[in-house]
Amino acid sequence: MPEVPKYGDLKVQQAGIANTRSNVNASIEAFGGGQANKLPGAISELSGEGLKLAKQEKDNSDHLANNRFANELGEFELDGHRDGGVFTFKGEDAFTKAPDELEKRYKEKLDDMMSRAANDDQKEYVREKANDVFQGMNKQLLVHGQSQKAEFHHQTMIDTAKIQNDLATVKYTDHDAVLGALTEQARAINTYAVAEGKTGDWATNAVAKTQSDTATNVIERYISSNNMAGARAFRKEYGDFFHGDDIKKVDNWLKEGTLKSEAQNVANGIVDKYNDPYAADKAMAEIADPDMRSAVKAIVNPALSLKLKETQVSRDNTYLSARDIVAKTGRYEDIPPALAGKIPPSEERTLRAIANNASGAIPIKNNEATWNEYMHKSPAEIA
């Protein structure tokens, strides 16, 4: 039978159970502290690195996006100088329509880019960059508009002066209309001078030159209409509007025009009276004033030559018409009286011979030898 060990024996002694308790003097790591607990720190460190990496990625993304927006704004500015751009507007449109058009296009572009900006930082960049571009374009457009404005005012002045000149020339006999045109020219020039800061002397000289040109054109129109009396009356009534070389020019015109007008009247009488150049020459030789005689000859000679040509053409047409009639009917009496009255005696004899030949009464005999002789000669030899 087995025996229970007794206390005090070698196998039963008072002692603690091994490894069931930690030593109270153990290190802090034995209680979960110190270097033994690294997980929370590692997690915290990993979180910081992630935020840093995320921020770097965002910054890179913003940088690329902002570069694209900057390029778009550069293209927007260049478009302003291309066909249809606000900087291509000319004349009045450059300073009336262009500013509003630029603002409209800018707002459309800004709204488009803001809708595509991915975050507040990109939107802020777009707002600042777009505003800088817009302000810069506005300044350029102001310069362009001022340049076009000056050109527009200048062209308006020129156009007004020309239109009023043309109106005065057309209505040259209506002196009230002419005075109104001269007044409008002065108004246009003075308006331009004030707008562009021109001096008073500049405006005075410009008005004098422009009005003198117009008044001179009116005189020229009178003379070309062979109205020398009207030209002299206008020169007397509006003498203050003539300046510089125009005064001497107009006075010479009036002197020459008077001579020309009188010469025209004398020449008309000679051309109407004479059909013979020799007789016309005798009539002109009797003019005592050599200047008048020369002026009359200059008119009579071409006019009389033209008259003789027209007379010959008329006679030829009369003869041909009469010849056709007698060749068909064989009767000279069938020529209408109005036509027969224009036929000279020499041609009447020829036409009667043609009529007799057509009727068989008196055949016309041809001289074959003479015909053949002249057929083989040149016009110079015949002459």
Side-chain angles (χ1 to χ4, degrees), residues 242-312:
F242 296 91
H243 299 279
D245 295 338
D246 288 339
I247 296 175
K248 183 177 180 180
K249 181 196 298 183
V250 166
D251 289 344
N252 285 336
W253 282 355
L254 292 175
K255 181 180 178 181
E256 294 171 359
T258 300
L259 177 65
K260 183 178 179 181
S261 177
E262 294 176 358
Q264 185 70 57
N265 292 333
V266 174
N268 289 343
I270 293 175
V271 173
D272 291 341
K273 184 176 181 180
Y274 300 103
N275 292 324
D276 180 9
Y278 177 74
D281 284 340
K282 285 186 65 176
M284 289 186 287
E286 296 176 0
I287 300 174
D289 186 346
D291 290 338
M292 177 64 72
R293 184 168 59 250
S294 176
V296 170
K297 280 187 175 182
I299 299 171
V300 168
N301 289 340
L304 187 58
S305 175
L306 178 61
K307 178 185 177 183
L308 294 176
K309 288 180 180 179
E310 291 174 346
T311 300
Q312 185 60 48

Side-chain angles (χ1 to χ4, degrees), residues 13-317:
Q13 296 183 24
Q14 182 179 3
I17 300 174
N19 296 329
T20 59
R21 293 185 58 186
S22 297
N23 190 340
V24 294
N25 295 321
S27 67
I28 192 170
E29 284 82 357
F31 297 95
Q35 294 298 320
N37 187 11
K38 296 182 179 181
L39 181 58
I43 293 175
S44 176
E45 183 177 353
L46 179 60
S47 177
E49 288 295 325
L51 290 175
K52 182 178 180 181
L53 180 61
K55 184 178 184 305
Q56 184 176 357
E57 288 298 320
K58 176 184 176 298
D59 290 344
N60 290 339
S61 177
D62 287 349
H63 180 70
L64 291 174
N66 291 343
N67 281 344
R68 286 196 298 270
F69 288 133
N71 291 338
E72 287 186 38
L73 288 169
E75 281 296 317
F76 175 76
E77 188 169 5
L78 289 175
D79 284 343
H81 297 272
R82 292 168 178 152
D83 289 344
V86 292
F87 292 101
T88 66
F89 284 26
K90 302 295 183 184
E92 190 174 9
D93 288 350
F95 55 88
T96 57
K97 294 182 179 179
D100 292 339
E101 184 64 22
L102 174 60
E103 185 173 0
K104 172 175 171 272
R105 296 181 186 183
Y106 162 72
K107 287 181 177 179
E108 291 175 352
K109 186 63 181 175
L110 178 61
D111 289 345
D112 173 59
M113 290 191 297
M114 289 293 286
S115 69
R116 291 183 284 115
N119 53 57
D120 290 343
D121 290 336
Q122 291 182 18
K123 290 179 180 180
E124 181 64 22
Y125 174 84
V126 167
R127 273 192 295 267
E128 291 181 1
K129 185 67 175 177
N131 183 66
D132 290 343
V133 170
F134 176 66
Q135 294 301 328
M137 292 180 71
N138 252 335
K139 290 179 181 179
Q140 294 179 53
L141 194 60
L142 179 62
V143 174
H144 173 71
Q146 289 297 329
S147 173
Q148 288 295 308
K149 193 177 207 178
E151 184 177 337
F152 173 76
H153 284 164
H154 184 257
Q155 189 61 47
T156 299
M157 177 193 68
I158 292 174
D159 291 344
T160 301
K162 183 180 184 307
I163 290 171
Q164 295 303 322
N165 173 82
D166 293 345
L167 287 173
T169 305
V170 169
K171 301 178 179 180
Y172 68 103
T173 58
D174 183 350
H175 289 189
D176 288 339
V178 173
L179 181 60
L182 295 170
T183 302
E184 280 300 305
Q185 288 180 328
R187 184 195 61 76
I189 292 170
N190 286 323
T191 299
Y192 169 75
V194 171
E196 296 302 319
K198 300 292 185 181
T199 64
D201 288 342
W202 182 93
T204 299
N205 293 333
V207 169
K209 175 68 170 63
T210 302
Q211 291 182 331
S212 184
D213 288 343
T214 299
T216 300
N217 290 336
V218 170
I219 289 287
E220 187 174 17
R221 181 63 187 275
Y222 268 112
I223 294 174
S224 66
S225 300
N226 199 30
N227 186 350
M228 293 306 300
R232 286 191 291 270
F234 183 84
R235 173 70 176 90
K236 182 178 180 181
E237 184 178 356
Y238 291 93
D240 292 341
F241 288 97
F242 296 91
H243 299 279
D245 295 338
D246 288 339
I247 296 175
K248 183 177 180 180
K249 181 196 298 183
V250 166
D251 289 344
N252 285 336
W253 282 355
L254 292 175
K255 181 180 178 181
E256 294 171 359
T258 300
L259 177 65
K260 183 178 179 181
S261 177
E262 294 176 358
Q264 185 70 57
N265 292 333
V266 174
N268 289 343
I270 293 175
V271 173
D272 291 341
K273 184 176 181 180
Y274 300 103
N275 292 324
D276 180 9
Y278 177 74
D281 284 340
K282 285 186 65 176
M284 289 186 287
E286 296 176 0
I287 300 174
D289 186 346
D291 290 338
M292 177 64 72
R293 184 168 59 250
S294 176
V296 170
K297 280 187 175 182
I299 299 171
V300 168
N301 289 340
L304 187 58
S305 175
L306 178 61
K307 178 185 177 183
L308 294 176
K309 288 180 180 179
E310 291 174 346
T311 300
Q312 185 60 48
V313 170
S314 177
R315 286 181 59 180
D316 290 345
N317 290 337

Side-chain angles (χ1 to χ4, degrees), residues 377-383:
K377 288 186 177 182
S378 67
E381 289 173 329
I382 294 174

